[in-house]
Amino acid sequence: MSKTAIEAMLPFFDKYYGNPSSLYELGQASKEALEAARADIAACLGAEPSEIYFTSCGSESDNQAIRSAAHLGALKGKKHIISTAFEHHAVLHTLKRLEKEEGFEVTLLDVHSDGLVTAAQVKEAIRPDTCLVTIMFANNEIGTVQPIKEIGEICRAAGVPFHTDAVQAVGHIPVNVKEQNIDMLSLSAHKFHGPKGTGALYCRKGMRLLSFIDGGAQERGKRAGTENVAEIVAMAAAMKEACANMPQNSAKLVKLRDKIIAELTKIPHSRLNGSMEHHLPGTINMCFEGIEGEGLLLHLDDKGICASSGSACTSGSLDPSHVLLAIGLPHEVAHGSLRISLSEYNTEEDADRIIKAVPEVVEYLRNMSPVWKELESGERKHLI
C-alpha cells in the first residue's frame, strides 16, 4: 500500500469509526468520507459519483455486472454472451456457471498470437439474442491492452451492454468510461497500491444493476452490508495518487520493463508473450523452454525476487496457464512461464537483480532437466 493510502485510512479506525448509515454525527462523518471517496473515484474514471458502487474486490464486481446483464437479458429472451478465451477466472467461471446452470450460450472469442482481440471479431459475433459483451481491458498475465473504445462503439451501436474487467488497467493507463463507450467496469484497489479486499463497480446511468447481496439499503440498494469505510477511503486516495502520477510512473516503468526484456530475451530459447505495442507499462511475461515455472519461482524467491508464473502447478494443478494456451503456445512451452510485475516503487537496482538472477536460475534448472537434455541432444525439437 502507498503511504498516502495508509495515512488516509487510519483515522477511520479510531476517530471516524461510525456507521455511515447512522443518522448521528459520528455516522454522518463516515458518510461524508464515503461519498467524497465515491466522487474521487468517479472523477478518475470520467464517471458520475452516482455510477460508482463499492464492492469487496474485482471478482465481486465482475460477478455482479455479468449476472445483472445476463438475468436482465434473459427476461427479454436474450441468453447469449460474448467474451474471450483468456479472461480472468472471475469472468470465465461466472460464464461457465451461467452456461451450465441457467442455459446461457457463451461465445469465447479466439485471441490472436499477440494477445489481442479485435472489434471486428466482436461485431461478427454479436447476435440478436446477445445480452452482454464482457472483455477485459488489459490481460492480467501478459499485459496486452485491448481496443476497448472500438469494442465499446460496436456494442453501443448494436444496443448490447459492454462490461470490461479493468482491474489491471485502472491506475496504470488512461481509463475514461464515457470516451471509451464502457457500460460497466470492474476495479480492485490493491492493483494501484490500495488495500486488498476492496473494489468498485462502475455502472453507467440508465443501465440496470441487480442486487448481488441482499439485506440493507447500502449502495442505493444494490449491495447490502455495512461499507468498509476505512478501506474505501484508502482506495480513493491511492487511485487519485496513481492517476495524478500516471505519466511519470508510466515512463519509469516502461524504461525498467524494456531494460529487463532486452536482457532476458538474450536467454536462448526464450519467448516474450504479448504485443509490446499495446501493453501495460509494468508487466513482463516470458517463457523459457525446457523448465517448469514453479521451479523458476521457488529459486527466484530464494534470491529475494517475488514473481509469478502462468503455470498453475503451485496450486496443485499440472495445467499450464489458460492465457498462454489461448494465444497458441503449446503446453510444453507454456509450462515454463514467468510473470514479473513492476511498480513505480521498483528501482534500477531491482531490474539489475532480475537481469542477473533469471538467467542463472534458468541455466541451473535446464542443467537439471531431462527434457532440456533431450532438446539439446536433438531427441526433441525446440519449440522456441
Side-chain angles (χ1 to χ4, degrees):
M1 284 180 64
S2 74
K3 290 182 179 179
T4 301
I6 294 172
E7 291 171 359
M9 77 189 296
L10 289 178
F12 293 88
F13 289 115
D14 59 2
K15 186 176 181 181
Y16 304 110
Y17 56 84
N19 187 326
S21 295
S22 300
L23 294 177
Y24 46 73
E25 185 177 354
L26 192 62
Q28 288 304 294
S30 292
K31 179 71 171 179
E32 289 176 9
L34 191 73
E35 295 311 316
R38 198 186 309 276
D40 287 341
I41 289 170
C44 290
L45 297 175
E48 300 296 326
S50 62
E51 298 173 313
I52 303 300
Y53 298 85
F54 295 123
T55 67
S56 66
C57 59
S59 292
E60 182 188 330
S61 299
D62 285 342
N63 271 260
Q64 186 170 13
I66 293 168
R67 291 181 181 277
S68 291
H71 293 154
L72 290 168
L75 294 176
K76 301 176 182 178
K78 297 183 177 184
K79 300 189 72 171
H80 175 239
I81 301 173
I82 298 169
S83 190
T84 75
F86 77 159
E87 297 292 313
H88 189 277
H89 282 131
V91 171
L92 291 177
H93 288 174
T94 302
L95 296 178
K96 180 61 70 175
R97 287 193 66 180
L98 287 170
E99 204 172 27
K100 184 177 180 180
E101 299 176 6
E102 301 184 39
F104 282 82
E105 184 180 349
V106 177
T107 297
L108 296 181
L109 301 177
D110 290 332
V111 184
H112 295 230
S113 60
D114 59 2
L116 298 173
V117 295
T118 66
Q121 286 176 273
V122 175
K123 184 175 183 179
E124 185 177 351
I126 288 178
R127 306 184 328 204
D129 62 338
T130 302
C131 62
L132 175 68
V133 171
T134 175
I135 294 176
M136 66 193 336
F137 205 118
N139 186 264
N140 54 304
E141 290 191 26
I142 61 176
T144 48
V145 178
Q146 305 304 317
I148 293 299
K149 181 179 180 180
E150 292 78 6
I151 292 171
E153 286 177 353
I154 295 295
C155 295
R156 191 67 55 84
V160 176
F162 174 45
H163 164 256
T164 184
D165 178 336
V167 167
Q168 298 291 330
V170 171
H172 300 284
I173 56 177
V175 176
N176 187 295
V177 292
K178 297 292 192 289
E179 293 178 1
Q180 292 167 317
N181 307 298
I182 297 167
D183 294 314
M184 293 183 286
L185 175 147
S186 305
L187 64 88
S188 189
H190 70 284
K191 295 299 182 179
F192 44 82
H193 303 299
K196 296 175 181 64
T198 193
L201 171 62
Y202 157 78
C203 184
R204 180 173 61 82
K205 191 178 297 183
M207 292 283 298
R208 285 187 62 193
L209 187 68
L210 299 182
S211 175
F212 194 57
I213 300 176
D214 295 319
Q218 293 90 351
E219 297 304 294
R220 302 182 296 287
K222 302 304 181 185
R223 204 273 187 180
T226 303
E227 294 94 344
N228 188 345
V229 179
E231 291 202 1
I232 289 169
V233 167
M235 172 169 61
M239 192 167 172
K240 279 184 67 177
E241 183 177 48
C243 291
N245 298 328
M246 192 181 296
Q248 56 265 44
N249 288 345
S250 180
K252 176 183 178 179
L253 288 174
V254 167
K255 182 180 177 183
L256 291 179
R257 180 198 71 191
D258 290 352
K259 176 181 179 179
I260 294 169
I261 289 172
E263 293 302 316
L264 296 192
T265 49
K266 293 178 182 178
I267 298 173
H269 302 287
S270 63
R271 170 195 161 97
L272 178 68
N273 298 314
S275 164
M276 290 311 295
E277 181 182 358
H278 308 284
H279 204 94
L280 290 173
T283 301
I284 301 167
N285 189 297
M286 295 188 65
C287 286
F288 304 97
E289 194 172 5
I291 64 172
E292 292 284 356
E294 70 271 23
L296 183 57
L297 301 188
L298 293 172
H299 284 280
L300 289 176
D301 186 44
D302 286 341
K303 294 177 179 289
I305 296 170
C306 303
S308 61
S309 174
S311 172
C313 298
T314 50
S315 64
S317 169
L318 293 177
D319 294 332
S321 160
H322 72 285
V323 171
L324 300 183
L325 296 180
I327 63 173
L329 296 192
H331 282 66
E332 301 93 320
V333 173
H335 267 304
S337 64
L338 172 70
R339 183 184 71 167
I340 298 170
S341 300
L342 304 171
S343 83
E344 62 271 25
Y345 298 150
N346 287 117
T347 64
E348 289 279 350
E349 290 73 23
D350 292 333
D352 291 338
R353 286 181 65 192
I354 292 169
I355 289 167
K356 181 176 186 297
V358 173
E360 292 176 351
V361 173
V362 169
E363 182 179 11
Y364 171 78
L365 291 174
R366 282 176 170 173
N367 288 338
M368 302 289 289
S369 168
V371 172
W372 181 252
K373 291 174 183 176
E374 290 176 5
L375 289 167
E376 289 296 89
S377 67
E379 294 180 40
R380 292 195 186 193
K381 183 179 179 182
H382 278 291
L383 299 173
I384 299 179

